Amino acid sequence: MELRDLEYFAVVAEHGHVGRAAEALGLSQPALSKSLRRLEKAMQAKVVKRTPKGVELTAVGSALRMHVHRLRLSLNDVVHEAADLSQGRAGHLRVGAGAGLGDHFLAAACSAFLMEAPKATLALAVARNAVLLPGLHNGEHDLVVSGIPHPSYKDLTQERLYEDEFVVYASARHRLARLRRVSLADVAQERWALSAPDDLSWRRVHRVFEDNGLPPLRIAFETTSSLIRVQGVALSDLVSFSSRRVLQQAWQHFPLAELRVKELAWTRTVGVSYRKDAYLSPAALRFIEILKSTAKEMAAEKP
């Protein structure tokens, strides 16, 4: 069995069509068909079947595709490891970060890493867990810093960094800001600003409202930008839900007030995640150490 035949098969599986796959690979259709026949001979089974619209995977083909996907990830890891060892450099680090994390924490960790390793490069992609974790599984990120979901993923190693408390907040001029205690019924009447409906924190808010027999949230403003959301709340009558760590930074610049809603008090665990079977470069291992030390320093500074 030839490695290139497996690669060609993976492209055919992605396109579901021999002609489009051949075009993507820069091969002729006869050459690609010959490769598929060679692979099927080695497998002693059919891996694709012809359809009017192209090709479909057989049961054997579907199983093979899963193994080829893991093989591609392993080969990618080998390339990264070889570059680190042969070129004597720290390498390029690809990090995914949760959209709701405090910018100060990430900026401090990234700056410390780049100062310590001037030959290293770092790409930081900020997104939601629903985007980050599939990207981690597919090898798009070396590691991800975000809220750790429960239950955790069996194929990921997830190390705790810190506990992150979430609170309801509004403009300091909001009518509810004058109250010492705010009930769920009070905030149920308000218009909300949120990040994304499938975000872990927002799923919790929706569930609390539902469990208490309250109508769904009145969503007036939706944005994945924490800064825009915070500023929008500070300048309006909207209420929102966010990490206290993020708000501690925002309070220095915007007139905000915490609304103490007992039922919505929630703490999530923020951690760093990476594939259990993945190669972690010296750069990645060092960045994880810096994340842990930065989290400890910020915990010590917490008033």
Side-chain angles (χ1 to χ4, degrees):
M1 184 180 299
E2 297 185 22
L3 187 59
R4 65 174 177 173
D5 291 337
L6 291 172
E7 179 64 28
Y8 293 168
F9 162 75
V11 178
V12 171
E14 289 169 6
H15 287 80
H17 194 280
V18 173
R20 288 194 291 270
E23 184 178 349
L25 290 166
L27 295 174
S28 66
Q29 288 193 43
L32 184 53
S33 296
K34 183 178 180 180
S35 171
L36 287 174
R37 289 195 299 271
R38 190 164 54 234
L39 178 62
E40 289 178 332
K41 183 178 179 180
M43 294 289 297
Q44 296 184 357
K46 290 287 186 180
V47 295
V48 297
K49 59 182 178 181
R50 302 279 179 174
T51 70
K53 294 184 179 180
V55 295
E56 291 181 357
L57 299 184
T58 64
V60 173
S62 296
L64 179 62
R65 185 182 188 182
M66 293 178 61
H67 288 290
V68 171
H69 175 69
R70 288 194 289 268
L71 178 60
R72 285 170 126 184
L73 290 177
S74 297
L75 289 173
N76 188 51
D77 287 341
V78 169
V79 170
H80 282 293
E81 185 172 6
D84 288 337
L85 294 174
S86 65
Q87 297 181 25
R89 61 175 175 81
H92 180 63
L93 186 58
R94 304 162 302 165
V95 178
L101 298 183
D103 293 339
H104 181 51
F105 168 71
L106 289 171
C110 291
S111 298
F113 170 75
L114 292 170
M115 288 296 291
E116 183 179 296
K119 293 184 179 181
T121 57
L122 189 154
L124 182 70
V126 179
R128 296 174 287 111
N129 260 12
V131 175
L132 293 174
L133 294 180
L136 180 61
H137 282 104
N138 292 332
E140 297 171 19
H141 310 300
D142 298 310
L143 51 90
V144 163
V145 184
S146 68
I148 296 179
H150 296 284
S152 58
Y153 291 84
K154 294 181 179 180
D155 59 339
L156 297 180
T157 296
Q158 298 178 302
E159 300 187 47
R160 177 192 173 279
L161 294 174
Y162 61 85
E163 299 300 312
D164 198 12
E165 183 182 3
F166 274 64
V167 297
V168 180
Y169 69 97
S171 165
R173 296 182 293 272
H174 196 284
R175 66 180 184 85
L176 295 178
R178 298 189 296 271
L179 303 180
R180 186 172 182 181
R181 289 287 180 185
V182 180
S183 69
L184 268 180
D186 290 329
V187 292
Q189 303 175 39
E190 301 302 319
R191 297 187 304 156
W192 287 72
L194 82 165
S195 53
D198 59 352
D199 182 82
L200 181 62
S201 60
W202 283 102
R203 289 206 302 269
R204 175 178 171 77
V205 174
H206 285 295
R207 188 167 61 250
V208 169
F209 270 60
E210 184 178 322
D211 291 347
N212 284 271
L214 293 169
L217 297 178
R218 296 171 56 202
I219 307 302
F221 183 41
E222 181 178 329
T223 173
T224 55
S225 169
S226 297
L227 178 60
I228 293 176
R229 187 167 64 256
V230 166
Q231 188 168 0
V233 169
L235 299 175
S236 71
D237 64 349
L238 301 177
V239 297
S240 191
F241 188 63
S242 183
S243 160
R244 185 188 294 276
R245 189 181 290 262
V246 171
L247 292 177
Q248 284 174 339
Q249 301 165 34
W251 278 326
Q252 303 173 29
H253 308 285
F254 305 110
L256 297 168
E258 177 184 341
L259 305 183
R260 299 181 181 277
V261 185
K262 180 181 178 182
E263 293 86 349
L264 290 176
W266 180 59
T267 300
R268 71 169 177 181
T269 299
V270 173
V272 56
S273 305
Y274 49 89
R275 296 191 343 260
K276 287 183 178 178
D277 60 348
Y279 161 69
L280 284 182
S281 68
L285 293 171
R286 181 56 189 145
F287 188 69
I288 292 172
E289 292 177 2
I290 290 174
L291 286 170
K292 292 178 179 178
S293 62
T294 302
K296 286 183 180 178
E297 290 170 7
M298 290 191 173
E301 295 172 0
K302 186 177 179 180

